[in-house]
Amino acid sequence: MLRFNNETLIACTFSGGMRNISAGAVIAIHYFPATVVLPVICGMFFNKY
Protein backbone atom coordinates (compact mmCIF):
# COMPACT_ATOMS: atom_id res chain seq x y z
CA MET A 1 0.00 0.00 0.00
CA LEU A 2 2.64 2.54 1.03
CA ARG A 3 5.51 0.33 -0.15
CA PHE A 4 7.03 -0.12 3.30
CA ASN A 5 9.29 -3.05 3.94
CA ASN A 6 7.89 -5.83 6.12
CA GLU A 7 9.65 -4.75 9.34
CA THR A 8 8.38 -1.17 9.11
CA LEU A 9 4.84 -2.32 8.34
CA ILE A 10 4.81 -4.62 11.39
CA ALA A 11 6.13 -1.83 13.65
CA CYS A 12 3.49 0.65 12.44
CA THR A 13 0.69 -1.89 12.85
CA PHE A 14 1.77 -2.82 16.38
CA SER A 15 2.13 0.83 17.40
CA GLY A 16 -1.30 1.78 16.07
CA GLY A 17 -2.93 -1.18 17.78
CA MET A 18 -1.48 -0.31 21.17
CA ARG A 19 -2.75 3.28 20.90
CA ASN A 20 -6.27 2.11 20.06
CA ILE A 21 -6.34 -0.33 22.97
CA SER A 22 -5.17 2.39 25.35
CA ALA A 23 -7.92 4.70 24.13
CA GLY A 24 -10.45 1.90 24.63
CA ALA A 25 -9.26 1.43 28.21
CA VAL A 26 -9.59 5.13 29.01
CA ILE A 27 -13.11 5.29 27.55
CA ALA A 28 -14.17 2.09 29.32
CA ILE A 29 -12.86 3.28 32.70
CA HIS A 30 -14.44 6.71 32.39
CA TYR A 31 -17.92 5.91 31.06
CA PHE A 32 -18.73 2.30 31.99
CA PRO A 33 -18.71 0.00 35.04
CA ALA A 34 -15.44 -1.58 36.10
CA THR A 35 -16.26 -4.99 34.57
CA VAL A 36 -16.23 -3.46 31.08
CA VAL A 37 -12.50 -2.78 31.39
CA LEU A 38 -11.57 -6.47 31.74
CA PRO A 39 -11.79 -7.38 28.02
CA VAL A 40 -9.75 -4.30 27.14
CA ILE A 41 -7.05 -5.27 29.64
CA CYS A 42 -7.01 -8.81 28.21
CA GLY A 43 -6.56 -7.32 24.76
CA MET A 44 -3.59 -5.32 26.00
CA PHE A 45 -2.04 -8.44 27.54
CA PHE A 46 -2.42 -10.60 24.42
CA ASN A 47 -1.24 -7.84 22.10
CA LYS A 48 2.01 -7.51 24.02
CA TYR A 49 2.79 -11.20 24.30
Side-chain angles (χ1 to χ4, degrees):
M1 184 164 99
L2 296 174
R3 302 196 192 271
F4 289 136
N5 62 13
N6 197 29
E7 291 82 14
T8 304
L9 186 60
I10 290 171
C12 289
T13 302
F14 183 75
S15 174
M18 289 305 290
R19 278 193 220 112
N20 291 335
I21 289 175
S22 298
V26 169
I27 292 170
I29 290 169
H30 189 68
Y31 291 106
F32 298 104
T35 54
V36 175
V37 181
L38 292 175
V40 177
I41 292 172
C42 290
M44 292 173 84
F45 178 73
F46 288 118
N47 196 7
K48 183 171 181 161
Y49 298 104

